[in-house]
Structures are given as C-alpha cells and as structure tokens.
Amino acid sequence: MRMATEIDPSDPAAAAGRAAARAALLAAPGPVGRPRRQALARLTDDWLAGLLAAAGAPPTGVALVAVGGYGRGELSPRSDLDVLLLHAGPIARELPERIWYPVWDSGTKLDHSVRTVAGARSVAAADLKVQLGLLNARHLAGDPALTEDLRAAVLTDWRASAPTRLPELRELGRARAERQGELSFLLEPDLKEARGGLRDVVALDAIAATWLADAPRDGLDAAARWLADVRDALHLVTGRATDRLVLQEQDQVAQRLGVLDADALLRRVYEAARTIAYAGDVTWRAVDQVLAARGGRGRRVRRAGIRFAGAARGAVARGTVERRPLAEGVVEQDGEAVLAQGARPATDPVLPLRAAAAAAQNGLTVSYATVRRLAAECRPLPVPWPDEAREQLVTLLGAGEAAVPVWEALEAEGLVRRLLPDWERVRCRPQRNAVHRWTVDRHLVETAVRAAAMTRRVARPDLLLVAALLHDIGKGWPGDHSKAGEVIVRDLAARMGFGPEDTGTLAVLVRHHLALVDTATRRDPDDPATVEAITGVVTTLPELELLHALTEADALATGPAAWSGWRASLVDGLVARVADRLAGAGVRPVETAPTAEQERLAVEAVRTGGPALSLRARSEGDPGTEPMGVELNLAVPDRPGLLGTAAGVLALHRLAVRSAGLRELDPVGSGPVLLLSWRVAAEYGELPEAARLRADLRRALDGSLDVARRLAERDAAAPRRRGIPTPPPLVAVAPAAASATATVLEVRAHDAPGLLHRIGRALDGAGVRVRTAHVSTLGAEAVDSFYLTDAAGRPLTAERAGAVAAAVRAVLG
C-alpha cells in the first residue's frame, strides 16, 4: 500500500504544488517519450494515493485501481484518468466524492466507477470495452489483496470467454477501421482509433492475455512507442486531448520530435502503423486457426501425415492437417500458403515470388512463419532475373485484390525492397495532393490491382501490370517524377530480364503515363496537333492500348475525384482518333526459319508416320540451378485435332504451357508436317521423361488414350479451392487486314490447366484447320492467336468465323 503524505493532497496549496511539478515535467528537456509518460503516471499515482488516504479510507476492503490506458502505467500530457474504487463491503457515501472532487477541481478529465469485484465482473461480462479496461487493472492504493482478486477474476473470465469475446473484439476493430480509415494512408490520421493505431495495440495485448495467440513482437513495441510519442507531442502543441494529427499541426509536431519535416513525420507514422496493422492481421489469422481447431472445424486428413503445430499456448489439436499443393515448394495449410516439406529456400531464389503468386492466385496469403523463413534463407535473385521470376511477379500482380495482403506480407519482411531496391524511396511516402487517397507505394499496388481487371484489353498484360506497379516510381526523386521514373524503370526492367524492346515500351509508358489525360482535358480534340501529340509518344496500336489501360487504372487508383464519366469520354475520344491514325501500325508475329533440330524432327515424322519430339531442359540464372522448364519440339504428320490433343497430353503430365507456336513444314515434298514448338514448365518441378511423353502422345493420337476423359476425371477428384475474381475471357475475330490468307482468332483468358486443350478441341469440333498459332502465357494470362482456314485452305467467311468464336467462348465459360 502506498503511504499517505502528511500534506492533504486536496488542499489548494498541495494541488498547486502538484500542478507545478507536472508542468515542470512537461517543460523539461528530458525525459521524453515512454519515460516521461511513466513519470507522469507515477506523479498521478502518488496524488491519487494521497487522496484515498485523506478521504479516510479503511486499511482493508477498499482499493483504488487504475484501469484502461492509465492502468498500463503511462499517461500522455492530456490523457484522461480511468480509475476504479473497489470495495469489498459497504463504504461511506462521501468516500468516493472526497477522491473525485479534487480531481475534477484540477481540470483533469476523469472516468470513474465504484464497484465490488463481483460487480466489476458482472459489468465486464455485459460490456466488452469495460472488460478490456479491467485487463490492465493496476493497484494504486488501499488493499492490494482486493486488487489482486479483481485481476485474477478478470483474467480467468477473459480466458474462459475468449471463443465468444474475440470475435466481438474483432468486429469492434473492423467497425472502427470503417469509421476512421487506415492510419497508414491518411493525411490527417487518428493516432488512436484508425486501423494500425494505438487502439489496435490494446487489442493485440488482449489477445495475448487469452493465451490462444500472440502477435509478432519484432518492431511492435517500437511502433507503439513512436505513435504514443507523436500523440504526446500533439497534446503539447495543441494544449488539448486530441488524437487527430491534422495538417496545420504536423510541422510543429515534427519540430518538437526532432524530425526533419511533416513528410518525414508522416512517413514514420505510416511505417509504425503498418507494423501494427500487419501484426494484427497475422494474429487474427492465428486466432481463427486456433478457434477452428478447438471447435473441430480444422481441416484434417490422415493421408497428409502432417501434425498441426500451433505456436500459441492452448492450441490443442490432434490428428493431421491437410496440405494441398499450390506450386513447386508451396502448399496450402489452414487457409495459408506455406512451404512444402521438401522446399529448399537456400537454393531456390525464385521461391518467394512463386509462393506469393500461388497464394494470391488461390485467394490466400502467405503465412507469417513462411515469409520470415523466406526472408532469412533465400538468396537474392540473380541479375537479370530468371524468366520464371518475372512471370511469377506478373502472376502475383494479375491476381488483383488478392495480391494486396500478399504484397503487404512480403513488404513487412523486407522482401519487396530486396526485389526492387528503388521501392524504398516510395515506401510510405505521403502524397499531399488531396485527390490521392494512398501513399505512393500503395497507390502503385492499387494501380496494378485496377490494371488486373483490364488485362483483356491489351495484347501484353505483363507489360501493363509491371508499368502499373512502377509508373510513379520516380516520385522518390527530385524533379519531374515521370522523367525520373523513365530512368529508373529502364534499369529495373533490365534487372527483371525484359528485352530491349519491352524495356523501351515500359519506359514510354512510365514517361508518358499522364499524356492521355492531360492532352484530352487541356487540348482541342478537333485540332490535328492534339492527335500528333500522342502519336509522337506511342507509335503502334498495342502501345496505345497499354497507355489507355494504364491511364484509366492510374486514375481509378488515385481516388474518386481523379476519374469521371466526363474524363473517360474525353480520353476515349482521343484514343479513338489516335487509333485511326495508327491503323495498320500494329506489330504482327514474324515467322522465323525452322532450326536444324526442327527440320530433323519433321523428316523423322514423315519417315515414321508418327510423332517425333525433342525435350530440352532450360536452366536459368546461376550455374547449377535446377531446370526452370523445358523446350519441347514436336513434329507430327498433319491430322485434325492435333493442337488440342498435344496440349491435353501436356496437361496430363502437369506441364504448364508458357508459350507455343504451330506451323506447317513439308520437308521432303510428301505432304505437310505440323511442327509445334513449346516452352513448358512443370507445375510441381518434376519433368516427365521424354520416352513416356512420346508414348502418351502416340496413344492419344491413335485413340487408345482418351485425354479429355482423363483430364475430366482428374479435375473431378481434385479438391475445390477458393478462386479469385478474374476478367471474363475475350474471344474475338481480328479484322480482315490482320491476314490475307487466314482468319485470325484472338483469345485472351485467365490461364488454367488444360486451357489450350479445351480451345483446340473447340476448334477441331468446329471443323476448321489451325494453320499457325501463337500462344503466350504472360503471368497468369493467356494471350493466343490462331490462324484458321477451312478445309480448302481459304479464310473463313464472316458467319463461320463468328460461329467458331462462339464455340470457343462456350468452352471457356
């Protein structure tokens, strides 16, 4: 028990002395931060202890208890006091008033209550906020045994009611976030109530008190201390108990904290808030898993053979947990992407991107332990990146909204900065323009999310997604951010392994990402110079498509004020005029001469009358790395349905088609041979033997292997996974000018196992010949062109071409 002072603390002279001591503490150059908050709490503790003694409280049966924020032993300069007068039996009616009135007279805001232990438990059971405050109960004065009884009872009740209370706590946090927004992105954030603020730290401590789960502690305490320090400075600058860091106070707060300026202040506030928000996301997922396991809802199967490993105390689950393969080295467990048992992060530098892409494409996130392990064990990617790394980045970005939590997980552990060194300059960088709703880095991610919904509009969705991610990367440098961004993106594109032509396209998109909207809204649309301003920037229709989609994605990601029906109509009108000027300037595929290996296979196919193939592993990056995929050349005497059949056999062997080409050869003048050139990658790292692949192709071609039935059976047996929203497939007949000798059918769709097989079967069923084909999988998006003729080798009529397109559209759903 605290000893009462000889001076009555309610005496005006004593009150004045306490006020002077408090003022001196706040004015002193040190201590600041947590030490000053603790000193303020100790000063207040002594004052309240004296008030209890002066009020004539009995030595037993009565205790003064700090709860809520005050209970944590820290006070900001303008903090309220949350105090509970606890009693075991009847007390004098005037006792509480003798304590509360001096507090009120001092001008301090007081939240007070008078209860027994049983009464406090009863109120807590009915009011979650009261229960949270009591979790921090701290003895101030009076009977310490009474305070200890309260603490023990409250903790027992909290742990017993956790399965019902924690969902309620989560809902409180969600409602708060909807009202206050995310602290990490607000120009005038509420340091306490916004998502990622101090109130979330209280929630994390409450979860830890249940013994069911605990938050990731790395950086969490430092983040909470920094937000509390900013709140202290805000109280001192304004002289008010406020938690909102408004624009006009930011420079003064920064100065008081010794920070360079308001932007530097906000950036550190955002970083702290992200640390807290990410810790919350991780912790709530752990809570969900533990509660599901306790309720018998955990997914367990004997065949998996993996025991549930709950890191938190109290997580008891027997049996095994199902692990479903997602990609090479990556499986799904408990609603998260985790590393497979055989994964080798130390020798697989692409694994972080592969895990991220697999998680996002399946609507999952990457587990906290997995991201930590990847950050600790994976080597940096070689420069330039292997093809697979670039494809996995595009696949991640193409997942749209599902990519955001995965990106946040990578960013929290420093993996994004390792992949893109220039990201650090835009990370958490505030944007003072009120039109922008995000920080620079989050705006870039949100632009990629918007662009993912527009991938059907462009022939190169990979370039659109990467340009969206990097279009404002120059904002971390002085001067025109578009010009700076062009220089940066050329370096980054080369690092990612893009070729010179693609690097040039990305540079054009970043340099001129504002050109369309600026020109459309500021120039006369009927002036020929307006169109020339754009044709001087983009020189082909594919580039124009990319710039148009990027412009819209950028504006939509900026905020509601940046894009409207009026702006969209002006930009669309300008794009239509520019497209008319560029008509005919599109780039068409260029046929290259067959290689000696391809000609040899064609001759062998004529000689044997069956398929001839070669299979060559492709290794990328450092010497000694495992094969990233295979190049497969297949020559077969011409016959109907070849494309769909061959694609189906590859799908049966779990080979994902990254690119493919089909052409006709007549090596010995005895009839055409179809040559299919593929670049494929094994879904789970195991490449098939060439002999087995050749045997299955022969069986499929002679009809002894029903490829369609086998694929259907496998799909039916596979566990159903959560999908992600994707744009609908686009199947269109290109204008006649695209080819003088064939009808060109363009297909753009989200990639899936067996996609090319289904398209090939639809074309075969329509009775058309596929003379040549150009197939590309860019990230998770398929961009295919098929040159079709009738049986006589003529282009299709418009009516028949429309029917073929409808047939392909039908099999794609």
Side-chain angles (χ1 to χ4, degrees), residues 604-740:
E604 183 181 341
V606 171
R607 181 179 60 81
T608 62
L613 65 86
S614 65
L615 200 65
R616 183 171 68 87
R618 303 174 71 250
S619 291
E620 302 177 278
D622 297 337
T625 56
E626 294 192 5
M628 297 294 185
V630 295
E631 290 179 354
L632 187 154
N633 286 306
L634 171 66
V636 186
D638 192 10
R639 66 183 68 191
L642 177 60
L643 177 63
T645 300
V649 172
L650 296 182
L652 274 179
H653 285 266
R654 297 191 183 277
L655 290 173
V657 178
R658 306 309 301 172
S659 64
L662 182 151
R663 67 197 303 179
E664 287 184 353
L665 293 178
D666 190 354
V668 295
S670 61
V673 171
L674 288 185
L675 178 68
L676 295 96
S677 303
W678 313 78
R679 183 168 70 87
V680 297
E683 285 186 42
Y684 304 117
E686 295 293 330
L687 298 174
E689 296 178 357
R692 183 179 175 191
L693 193 59
R694 184 184 295 108
D696 282 350
L697 280 167
R698 286 184 181 278
R699 293 172 55 213
L701 292 171
D702 67 23
S704 60
L705 174 61
D706 189 338
V707 175
R709 181 177 62 81
R710 288 278 300 277
L711 286 172
E713 289 173 350
R714 191 178 73 184
D715 289 346
R720 311 304 285 178
R721 292 198 188 115
R722 289 186 297 173
I724 59 171
T726 60
L730 174 67
V731 182
V733 178
S739 174

Side-chain angles (χ1 to χ4, degrees), residues 38 115 256 270 355 361 363-364 410 420 475 571 578 598 601 607 633 635 646 658 693 700 754:
Q38 292 172 335
R115 294 191 178 102
R256 181 172 282 273
Y270 293 162
Q361 286 291 328
L364 308 170
L410 297 182
L420 307 171
K475 284 191 173 178
V571 170
V578 175
Q598 291 171 337
L601 292 172
R607 181 179 60 81
N633 286 306
R658 306 309 301 172
L693 193 59

Side-chain angles (χ1 to χ4, degrees), residues 71 156 324 442 532 663 696 784:
T156 298
R324 297 171 177 160
R442 183 56 180 269
E532 291 170 3
R663 67 197 303 179
D696 282 350
D784 305 339

Side-chain angles (χ1 to χ4, degrees), residues 290-643:
V290 172
L291 293 183
R294 283 190 164 190
R297 296 189 302 277
R299 293 172 293 176
R300 304 184 186 92
V301 291
R302 287 189 180 277
R303 63 179 175 82
I306 308 296
R307 293 206 173 273
F308 179 86
R313 291 168 288 181
V316 180
R318 300 186 176 226
T320 56
V321 174
E322 184 175 8
R323 294 165 67 93
R324 297 171 177 160
L326 299 175
E328 174 62 16
V330 188
V331 297
E332 176 189 354
Q333 177 180 311
D334 288 318
E336 297 178 318
V338 303
L339 294 186
Q341 287 181 320
R344 294 181 293 174
T347 60
D348 188 355
V350 183
L351 187 55
L353 281 172
R354 191 185 311 123
Q361 286 291 328
N362 286 277
L364 308 170
T365 191
V366 185
S367 79
Y368 172 69
T370 295
V371 179
R372 297 270 294 177
R373 184 181 172 193
L374 291 171
E377 297 183 23
C378 279
R379 292 180 293 123
L381 282 167
V383 178
W385 291 5
D387 288 350
E388 188 202 0
R390 187 173 63 256
E391 290 165 359
Q392 296 294 357
L393 174 64
V394 172
T395 301
L396 167 61
L397 299 177
E401 288 285 354
V404 175
V406 177
W407 187 272
E408 289 176 339
L410 297 182
E411 200 262 350
E413 296 301 329
L415 285 167
V416 171
R417 284 166 284 172
R418 187 185 302 178
L419 292 167
L420 307 171
D422 294 278
W423 194 261
E424 179 60 26
R425 282 186 171 266
V426 297
R427 181 176 178 270
C428 293
R429 181 173 290 276
Q431 304 203 75
R432 293 289 175 175
N433 188 331
V435 172
H436 279 277
R437 60 181 298 192
W438 306 110
T439 55
V440 176
D441 61 330
R442 183 56 180 269
H443 169 70
L444 294 175
V445 174
E446 290 291 334
T447 304
V449 168
R450 298 288 187 166
M454 303 175 188
T455 50
R456 302 293 177 269
R457 291 167 44 176
V458 298
R460 291 294 303 274
D462 56 333
L463 297 183
L464 172 62
L465 292 167
V466 173
L469 182 70
L470 301 177
H471 73 279
D472 276 348
I473 197 72
K475 284 191 173 178
W477 296 83
D480 186 335
H481 77 278
S482 298
K483 293 179 180 178
E486 178 186 4
V487 175
I488 296 169
V489 84
R490 286 186 183 277
D491 176 68
L492 284 176
R495 171 187 288 269
M496 292 177 182
F498 283 105
E501 185 176 346
D502 289 346
T503 297
T505 300
L506 288 169
V508 166
L509 293 174
V510 171
R511 172 68 180 87
H512 300 288
H513 67 272
L514 298 174
L516 279 179
V517 71
D518 285 351
T519 304
T521 56
R522 299 176 185 177
R523 302 279 288 273
D524 180 0
D526 296 322
D527 187 341
T530 301
V531 171
E532 291 170 3
I534 302 302
T535 56
V537 170
V538 294
T539 57
T540 66
L541 285 173
E543 282 186 348
L544 180 63
E545 289 176 346
L546 286 166
L547 186 60
H548 187 192
L550 176 60
T551 298
E552 187 173 338
D554 180 20
L556 289 171
T558 298
W563 196 246
S564 63
W566 171 74
R567 283 176 177 260
S569 66
L570 291 178
V571 170
D572 290 347
L574 177 59
V575 168
R577 289 179 171 86
V578 175
D580 288 343
R581 182 75 61 88
L582 295 177
V587 178
R588 296 174 187 167
V590 177
E591 290 289 349
T592 58
T595 65
E597 173 69 6
Q598 291 171 337
E599 289 184 336
R600 183 190 67 77
L601 292 172
V603 171
E604 183 181 341
V606 171
R607 181 179 60 81
T608 62
L613 65 86
S614 65
L615 200 65
R616 183 171 68 87
R618 303 174 71 250
S619 291
E620 302 177 278
D622 297 337
T625 56
E626 294 192 5
M628 297 294 185
V630 295
E631 290 179 354
L632 187 154
N633 286 306
L634 171 66
V636 186
D638 192 10
R639 66 183 68 191
L642 177 60
L643 177 63

Side-chain angles (χ1 to χ4, degrees), residues 176-189:
R176 223 178 344 97
E178 288 181 8
R179 290 193 308 270
Q180 301 292 343
E182 294 197 51
L183 200 160
S184 302
F185 310 118
L186 296 168
L187 279 177
E188 294 187 324

